[in-house]
Amino acid sequence: MDTNTKELIQSVCMKCNPSSIVDTLRKWGRLSEDQLQSIFSGQSGKATKVKRTQSVLRLVLNPEEVELSTEIAGDLELSYIQLHPKKKLWKVFKLIGTRSDFKQDPRVMRSRLIREVQSKWKDGFIYGNMGYYCGAVWLRIHFDTSKRTRKNSLQKAGYNPNNSVFLLHFQGSPYLIISRTRVKETTLLTESLTKVFYADKLSYLQLSDRHLLSLANIALNKNFESSTVQKFKDLDGCENPLLHNDRKRKQADDIFEGDENIVDLNVAEKRERLMQVDHKFGSGSQPTLEKIEYKFSIGFHSGQEVTNLSSDCKTQVEIKGPSVLNGLKQLANRGFMTFPLPKHLTSVQSQQRNNFTIVSSRAKGNKD
């Protein structure tokens, strides 16, 4: 086993807690059930992460087993991200100009993507892994910065988890969800994916989050089979603990029940408000997004003449929380928002984005 492979396995195992390391290794599929159970048998059950990692390395370094290649070790990292997608920030892209019925074998897609990326990547080698999970095709592209010297010897670079990029694709859909990476690698990947899918371009939808299920729901629900998105529910069980504590929304009549001696004079107004909120947001639970970003470019207004000052005032506002859309809906239900509700607060799902630019009529540019 080369150094890079060993470092990769160490990196993944050190990220896992006791409850997830066996699940990750089981999904990897390179160790038997007896070997997996031996990691926690005896004194190793109370071992530190370092000792558990050493136990895993002893198992995979067994001389009786087939020596692990870099590609096989890469499957372990892909398995870890599939089970722990919230470890990454994901961005949604859309293929423009590709045929709506275009499909290709995922193995062919993987090999073509590796060739395309390698032809453009001059700083080392490209490794790729492919797997199926929750109804999607997952790919791992690793940018290895090892180089060959003039004497044709290999100058090895240490394993860097930040050099791995992950993407998933629902076959038959125009959407790709890609983990955030550096600008250079992002540009290289988008150019290569455009060729692999025979598209005109790959466009970023200004939609990003750590909650992969919500991104898939927003991107696919209106344009793809809902049964495919439902396969993400198994993933969501461990990635979105908020759902387990989510209380059912009270009916409008229940909200106003209380002391019979108290008369609420605004019952009709509150019911009308709830109806409007449900019409805009929908009656069900909202996608679990952790952030919505607004960039404002508005005209500057002053009662006095101001010189040497731009007529446009620009600012940026971020709304953050465990579930931003559910929070906004609750604020609207309680009347803390101006009615009619602003479009940029209620159109996240319909516009498939959580990054908006608000431009006034006096400011230059297009209004989103």
Side-chain angles (χ1 to χ4, degrees):
M1 181 187 299
D2 61 32
T3 304
N4 271 15
T5 301
K6 182 178 179 179
E7 289 177 352
L8 191 159
I9 295 173
Q10 286 177 324
S11 174
V12 173
C13 291
M14 289 296 291
K15 293 175 184 175
C16 294
N17 55 39
S19 62
S20 66
I21 186 170
V22 172
D23 290 337
T24 302
L25 293 171
R26 182 180 288 117
K27 192 174 188 316
W28 185 34
R30 305 302 303 183
L31 298 175
S32 67
E33 197 63 31
D34 290 340
Q35 288 175 319
L36 292 175
Q37 296 304 321
S38 69
I39 297 174
F40 286 94
S41 63
Q43 296 181 355
S44 62
K46 299 180 181 179
T48 62
K49 282 187 177 182
V50 173
K51 291 185 177 179
R52 281 195 297 270
T53 300
Q54 291 173 346
S55 298
V56 173
L57 287 173
R58 282 195 295 269
L59 291 173
V60 299
L61 286 172
N62 188 338
E64 298 179 0
E65 301 290 338
V66 178
E67 184 175 356
L68 297 182
S69 64
T70 303
E71 287 82 359
I72 294 176
D75 286 336
L76 175 61
E77 189 176 34
L78 180 60
S79 297
Y80 173 78
I81 294 300
Q82 288 173 335
L83 294 177
H84 306 85
K86 288 192 73 175
K87 299 296 182 181
K88 296 288 183 180
L89 177 65
W90 302 89
K91 297 185 174 183
V92 182
F93 293 80
K94 184 176 182 179
L95 294 161
I96 307 298
T98 190
R99 295 201 321 265
S100 59
D101 60 344
F102 174 74
K103 291 184 180 181
Q104 63 179 319
D105 188 313
R107 291 167 294 185
V108 175
M109 179 175 66
R110 168 189 170 274
S111 60
R112 289 193 62 215
L113 181 58
I114 291 175
R115 287 198 303 270
E116 286 291 340
V117 176
Q118 184 67 79
S119 67
K120 298 178 176 66
W121 177 257
K122 307 302 181 182
D123 298 330
F125 303 95
I126 299 298
Y127 296 98
N129 302 84
M130 187 274 292
Y132 297 93
Y133 189 57
C134 292
V137 177
W138 295 62
L139 295 174
R140 167 190 178 264
I141 301 297
H142 184 74
F143 294 85
D144 188 347
T145 55
S146 300
K147 296 182 179 180
R148 291 198 178 278
T149 64
R150 293 181 178 179
K151 297 181 179 180
N152 205 31
S153 61
L154 189 63
Q155 183 179 352
K156 281 282 189 179
Y159 167 73
N160 184 352
N162 294 325
N163 290 345
S164 294
V165 185
F166 303 88
L167 61 96
L168 64 154
H169 173 64
F170 293 90
Q171 290 181 285
S173 83
Y175 298 100
L176 289 162
I177 305 178
I178 306 175
S179 63
R180 185 181 66 176
T181 185
R182 295 175 288 262
V183 174
K184 179 180 179 180
E185 285 83 346
T186 298
T187 302
L188 193 156
L189 271 175
T190 53
E191 291 175 353
S192 300
L193 286 165
T194 300
K195 290 186 177 180
V196 168
F197 283 91
Y198 301 100
D200 295 334
K201 67 176 182 178
L202 185 64
S203 178
Y204 174 47
L205 293 184
Q206 300 295 326
L207 177 62
S208 65
D209 201 73
R210 294 185 181 275
H211 197 266
L212 199 53
L213 171 66
S214 294
L215 295 181
N217 272 316
I218 293 173
L220 302 178
N221 262 351
K222 294 178 62 178
N223 303 281
F224 207 53
E225 296 179 7
S226 59
S227 60
T228 302
V229 181
Q230 289 300 319
K231 295 181 181 180
F232 261 88
K233 292 300 182 182
D234 292 337
L235 174 67
D236 192 51
C238 60
E239 287 299 319
N240 186 16
L242 289 173
L243 289 185
H244 299 294
N245 298 321
D246 189 26
R247 297 180 179 179
K248 293 183 178 179
R249 187 179 67 86
K250 293 183 178 181
Q251 298 297 323
D253 291 338
D254 296 336
I255 295 176
F256 311 114
E257 288 183 354
D259 192 327
E260 60 182 7
N261 296 318
I262 298 177
V263 178
D264 192 337
L265 299 178
N266 299 316
V267 171
E269 178 185 338
K270 292 179 179 178
R271 286 186 179 141
E272 177 63 23
R273 184 173 67 236
L274 290 176
M275 291 176 62
Q276 291 185 42
V277 171
D278 280 352
H279 175 70
K280 292 292 186 179
F281 283 95
S283 58
S285 179
Q286 302 298 300
T288 308
L289 298 179
E290 296 180 349
K291 183 180 75 170
I292 301 179
E293 182 177 283
Y294 297 98
K295 296 178 182 178
F296 293 90
S297 181
I298 58 178
F300 179 81
H301 300 278
S302 175
Q304 300 177 356
E305 184 178 351
V306 180
T307 59
N308 299 323
L309 184 65
S310 172
S311 61
D312 294 343
C313 179
K314 297 183 179 181
T315 187
Q316 181 172 315
V317 176
E318 288 185 353
I319 304 175
K320 294 183 178 181
S323 182
V324 174
L325 289 179
N326 276 315
L328 290 175
K329 184 178 179 181
Q330 290 175 22
L331 289 174
N333 277 336
R334 286 161 176 77
F336 292 108
M337 289 187 180
T338 301
F339 283 79
L341 294 171
K343 185 178 179 181
H344 58 269
L345 292 177
T346 61
S347 60
V348 170
Q349 296 188 66
S350 62
Q351 294 198 27
Q352 298 178 310
R353 62 193 304 174
N354 61 343
N355 190 315
F356 295 85
T357 300
I358 311 300
V359 182
S360 70
S361 58
R362 290 186 56 184
K364 298 179 180 180
N366 297 323
K367 182 176 180 180
D368 291 328

